[in-house]
Amino acid sequence: EAEDQHLSVPPEVAEAMIALEGEEAARLARWGYESQLGARAAALHERCDAQALRELVAEALARGADPSAASAALVSLVSCGGPGSQVFDHAWQQQQQQQEQEL
């Protein structure tokens, strides 16, 4: 704005503005990723894909993002009888045994 009015801007101020713009862009990108991560976590939860949710948590951690959406979806999946829970594992074992008997 100062440059538009043909005012002089000290180099330190110009450099600080550039740094702040970069920081803001990074923050917006991180928020966008975390929003996308939440949508992906919801879709994986709906599909009962515990392994993909574990990978999503690891991906978020590796990127320095908040993995809470994926972690919560994973905990919910396991606690409600999804893959990795005793209820699910028992049902899966019974299904496998039944398939073996049919062969």
Side-chain angles (χ1 to χ4, degrees), residues 38-50 53 73-74 76-77 80 83:
R40 289 171 58 196
L44 293 171
H45 181 269
E46 192 172 309
R47 290 190 348 230
C48 296
D49 194 339
L53 282 167
L74 181 59
S76 172
L77 187 66
C80 72

Side-chain angles (χ1 to χ4, degrees), residues 1-7:
E1 187 176 325
E3 290 174 348
D4 289 343
Q5 296 177 14
H6 303 289
L7 300 173

Side-chain angles (χ1 to χ4, degrees), residues 22-96:
E23 185 179 314
E24 181 180 13
R27 184 176 29 258
L28 291 173
R30 186 173 59 249
W31 287 345
Y33 173 76
E34 288 176 357
S35 174
Q36 180 188 39
L37 185 118
R40 289 171 58 196
L44 293 171
H45 181 269
E46 192 172 309
R47 290 190 348 230
C48 296
D49 194 339
Q51 182 57 38
L53 282 167
R54 286 185 194 96
E55 292 170 4
L56 192 57
V57 169
E59 175 188 316
L61 290 171
R63 292 180 131 197
D66 179 8
S68 61
S71 297
L74 181 59
V75 167
S76 172
L77 187 66
V78 171
S79 68
C80 72
S85 71
Q86 290 179 348
V87 172
F88 180 88
D89 291 344
H90 180 70
W92 184 81
Q93 287 173 351
Q94 285 183 328
Q95 181 183 12
Q96 293 299 313

